[in-house]
Amino acid sequence: MPSSQPPAPDPAGVGPLPLSADQLLRSLETTLARLVATGKIADSRSGLVISSNIGMLGALVASFPGANLPAVGSWLWLTAGSTAAACLASTTMAALAAFPRPGRHNGSLVFFGSIAEMEHDAYFERLRTVPQTDFARDLADQCLRVAALVAFKFRWVRRAMATMIAAALPWLVCLGWLGHLRLPPP
């Protein structure tokens, strides 16, 4: 015979009931903050990739003057060209990650673009009168949008890093050979 008593609460505090409105709002706010923080990680990696590629290109260009250029073979020009192309491609990929397109979110009380378009009093009044379910849906929509942007950023940063790493080997070969060409004959 089934018991009429409710199930015992889980010791971890997690039960079979849906989240309360307060729990849902806190969870969404926490999720949104975590997603934004994760996006900052992608942005910092994007900056690292861009500055590293610029440094690699600068070192490559700086290595050519003073080298015995008649002794430079066509394979070295090909290697230098492919290195430069890979560095430029990697920089472009990192730039794509740094400037995603968030789109428009008309009427959102969470998205910065929509908030900025509102008058101060209108924004406050909308915040004061918005039903919890509408605000929770707005937060959930922003979580989904930010998650998509963060996924986009990491996809392009990952590609940019892989391309930069692939460019490092021919870059080192070029620097080594150009350094060898700069040395005076024995």
Side-chain angles (χ1 to χ4, degrees), residues 2-96:
S3 170
S4 62
Q5 293 188 342
D10 185 343
V14 178
L17 300 176
L19 295 175
S20 70
D22 288 340
Q23 290 171 325
L24 176 63
L25 289 171
R26 271 196 313 274
S27 174
L28 288 168
E29 289 168 347
T30 302
T31 299
L32 185 58
R34 189 172 56 245
L35 288 167
V36 168
T38 303
K40 289 178 184 178
I41 295 169
D43 289 338
S44 69
R45 289 182 183 171
S46 182
L48 173 70
V49 168
I50 290 171
S51 60
S52 296
N53 279 309
I54 290 170
M56 288 171 64
L57 286 170
L60 187 62
V61 169
S63 296
F64 272 92
N68 185 3
L69 292 182
V72 173
S74 59
W75 70 272
L76 185 59
W77 286 111
L78 181 64
T79 305
S82 64
T83 299
C87 287
L88 291 173
S90 177
T91 301
T92 302
M93 292 175 203
L96 279 170

Side-chain angles (χ1 to χ4, degrees), residues 72-179:
V72 173
S74 59
W75 70 272
L76 185 59
W77 286 111
L78 181 64
T79 305
S82 64
T83 299
C87 287
L88 291 173
S90 177
T91 301
T92 302
M93 292 175 203
L96 279 170
F99 300 106
R101 302 185 66 183
R104 297 197 47 84
H105 311 289
N106 294 332
S108 173
L109 294 172
V110 179
F111 179 66
F112 69 92
S114 298
I115 294 170
E117 292 173 357
M118 293 182 206
E119 294 293 325
H120 181 272
D121 292 337
Y123 177 62
F124 180 75
E125 185 61 26
R126 289 243 356 252
L127 276 175
R128 197 178 64 71
T129 60
V130 67
Q132 279 185 330
T133 55
D134 291 350
F135 192 71
R137 180 165 301 280
D138 192 4
L139 273 170
D141 288 345
Q142 298 313 311
C143 286
L144 285 170
R145 287 184 175 119
V146 171
L149 288 173
V150 170
F152 175 86
K153 284 176 175 256
F154 269 100
R155 184 172 37 256
W156 282 103
V157 167
R158 196 171 31 253
R159 291 172 182 166
M161 290 179 87
T163 304
M164 181 182 71
I165 291 168
L169 182 61
W171 175 71
L172 290 171
V173 168
C174 285
L175 292 183
W177 186 251
L178 287 167

